[in-house]
C-alpha cells in the first residue's frame, strides 16, 4: 500500500473511485515525475482529488502545467452537512449543520491557485456533496486532534461519509469563470455594488467573501483593480 493511501478519508476514496470509473486504463497512486498523483490517465494527464486546502497543490500544479500536462483538480463543495455524534452512553445524536458551502463562499481556497486558473492545462471540477460528519463525544473539553480548532469542545471529529453526490461544475478558461459573475457590471464598480448584483442574482455573500472573489478575479486578469481612497474600484476586462 502506498503511503499516500494510509489514513485516506472516505470522501477522498469515493471521489477518486468515481473519476477512476470514468477514465479507462488509468493508474491510481502513480509515480509521475517527482510526485505521486491520485490518478494518472492513459494519455498521461493527471487527476488530483483535494478535499481541503487547495494551496497544498500549488507546486504540483505548477510542475505539470509547466510540462504541458493537463491536471484536473477535483474539489468537493459540501452543500449540505449532517452531524452524527456518538455520545458517551453509546447512543447517536443527529443534527443538521446550518452551514452551506457554495463555489461563491469558497474563494478563499482559490487564492493560492489564482496564477493557474486560466492556464490551458488546468481544470477544476467543483463537486457538490451532502455529507455526514462523524463525531465522538469526549468526557471533557479538548483541542482538535490537528490543533486547528480555536476553542476546546467536548467532541472530536472521527470521519466523514458521503451521503449524496450532486452537481459537478467544471471550470476551464475565461468563459467558465465569467459565468459566475452577475449581470449588470458595466463600467467601474465597487465591492458594495458587486454584492448587490450578486444578491439580485440570488447569491448572498458576506463583504469578506465578495472581496476574496474580486481579488481572485483581479489576480486571474479578468478584472482591473485600482485604489481610490480607502476603497478599490473594479472593471471587467
Amino acid at each position: 500500500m502506498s503511503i499516500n493511501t494510509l489514513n485516506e478519508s472516505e470522501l477522498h476514496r469515493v471521489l477518486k473511485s468515481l473519476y477512476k470509473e470514468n477514465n479507462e486504463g488509468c493508474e491510481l497512486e502513480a509515480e509521475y515525475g517527482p510526485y505521486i498523483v491520485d490518478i494518472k490517465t492513459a494519455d498521461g494527464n493527471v487527476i488530483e482529488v483535494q478535499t481541503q486546502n487547495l494551496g497544498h497543490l500549488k507546486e504540483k500544479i505548477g510542475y505539470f502545467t509547466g510540462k504541458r500536462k493537463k491536471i484536473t483538480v477535483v474539489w468537493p463543495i459540501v452543500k449540505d452537512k449532517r452531524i452524527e455524534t456518538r455520545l458517551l452512553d453509546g447512543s447517536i445524536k443527529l443534527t443538521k449543520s446550518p452551514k452551506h458551502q457554495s463555489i461563491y463562499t469558497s474563494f478563499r481556497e482559490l487564492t493560492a491557485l489564482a496564477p493557474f486558473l486560466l492556464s490551458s492545462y488546468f481544470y477544476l471540477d467543483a463537486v457538490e456533496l451532502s455529507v455526514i460528519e462523524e463525531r465522538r463525544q469526549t468526557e471533557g473539553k479538548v483541542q482538535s486532534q490537528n490543533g486547528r480548532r480555536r476553542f476546546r469542545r467536548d467532541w472530536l471529529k472521527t470521519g466523514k461519509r458521503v451521503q449524496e453526490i450532486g452537481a459537478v461544475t467544471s471550470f476551464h478558461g475565461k468563459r467558465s469563470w465569467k459565468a459566475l459573475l452577475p449581470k449588470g457590471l458595466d463600467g467601474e464598480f465597487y465591492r458594495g455594488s458587486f454584492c448587490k448584483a450578486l444578491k439580485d442574482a440570488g447569491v448572498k455573500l458576506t463583504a469578506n467573501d465578495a472581496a476574496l472573489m474580486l481579488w481572485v478575479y483581479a489576480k486571474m486578469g479578468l478584472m482591473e483593480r485600482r485604489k481610490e481612497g480607502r476603497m478599490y474600484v473594479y472593471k471587467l476586462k
Side-chain angles (χ1 to χ4, degrees), residues 16-195:
K16 193 164 67 174
S17 177
L18 176 66
Y19 277 77
K20 174 182 178 293
E21 291 174 3
N22 295 329
N23 286 274
E24 188 175 347
C26 67
E27 299 177 53
L28 298 183
E29 297 297 321
E31 291 187 10
Y32 201 3
Y35 295 101
I36 294 176
V37 300
D38 283 335
I39 299 175
K40 179 182 178 182
T41 65
D43 54 0
N45 295 317
V46 174
I47 300 173
E48 281 289 318
V49 178
Q50 190 71 4
T51 59
Q52 57 184 349
N53 203 334
L54 293 183
H56 288 167
L57 291 177
K58 186 175 180 180
E59 290 186 5
K60 188 179 287 188
I61 293 169
Y63 175 83
F64 286 108
T65 55
K67 295 291 184 180
R68 298 185 177 182
K69 298 294 182 183
K70 293 179 182 177
I71 179 166
T72 299
V73 174
V74 182
W75 179 32
I77 302 289
V78 180
K79 187 176 181 181
D80 295 293
K81 181 170 69 174
R82 296 178 71 194
I83 300 168
E84 181 183 281
T85 306
R86 182 171 294 277
L87 303 178
L88 293 174
D89 63 7
S91 62
I92 299 293
K93 178 183 176 182
L94 286 173
T95 55
K96 189 171 183 178
S97 172
K99 295 181 180 180
H100 302 279
Q101 290 182 333
S102 72
I103 184 69
Y104 290 97
T105 63
S106 305
F107 264 78
R108 181 177 299 278
E109 286 286 327
L110 296 175
T111 54
L113 302 189
F116 308 107
L117 296 181
L118 292 184
S119 167
S120 58
Y121 299 100
F122 179 80
Y123 296 74
L124 180 72
D125 282 0
V127 184
E128 291 185 352
L129 298 171
S130 295
V131 303
I132 295 177
E133 181 178 288
E134 299 166 336
R135 296 179 180 178
R136 174 176 57 83
Q137 187 181 24
T138 57
E139 292 186 357
K141 292 188 176 182
V142 296
Q143 182 58 278
S144 59
Q145 291 170 321
N146 59 13
R148 293 177 63 184
R149 192 159 66 195
R150 186 176 177 183
F151 300 107
R152 293 175 181 267
R153 297 284 188 267
D154 63 349
W155 53 265
L156 289 172
K157 291 181 183 180
T158 57
K160 193 176 287 183
R161 305 197 309 271
V162 178
Q163 194 171 30
E164 183 180 358
I165 297 177
V168 179
T169 306
S170 297
F171 295 92
H172 177 67
K174 293 181 180 180
R175 182 177 296 180
S176 62
W177 291 103
K178 285 185 174 181
L180 289 178
L181 297 174
K183 299 184 184 300
L185 297 177
D186 300 322
E188 295 185 334
F189 57 92
Y190 296 93
R191 182 179 65 182
S193 53
F194 179 68
C195 286

Side-chain angles (χ1 to χ4, degrees), residues 103-104 107-108 110-111 114 117 180-182 185 188-198 205-226 231-236:
I103 184 69
Y104 290 97
F107 264 78
R108 181 177 299 278
L110 296 175
T111 54
L117 296 181
L180 289 178
L181 297 174
L185 297 177
E188 295 185 334
F189 57 92
Y190 296 93
R191 182 179 65 182
S193 53
F194 179 68
C195 286
K196 183 180 184 303
L198 282 172
L205 275 190
T206 66
N208 285 340
D209 283 338
L212 283 168
M213 187 174 177
L214 290 168
W215 185 91
V216 170
Y217 273 79
K219 287 295 182 180
M220 290 166 67
L222 293 180
M223 289 183 183
E224 295 176 356
R225 184 177 82 151
R226 65 178 179 83
M231 303 178 69
Y232 284 103
V233 182
Y234 301 88
K235 184 179 180 180
L236 291 176

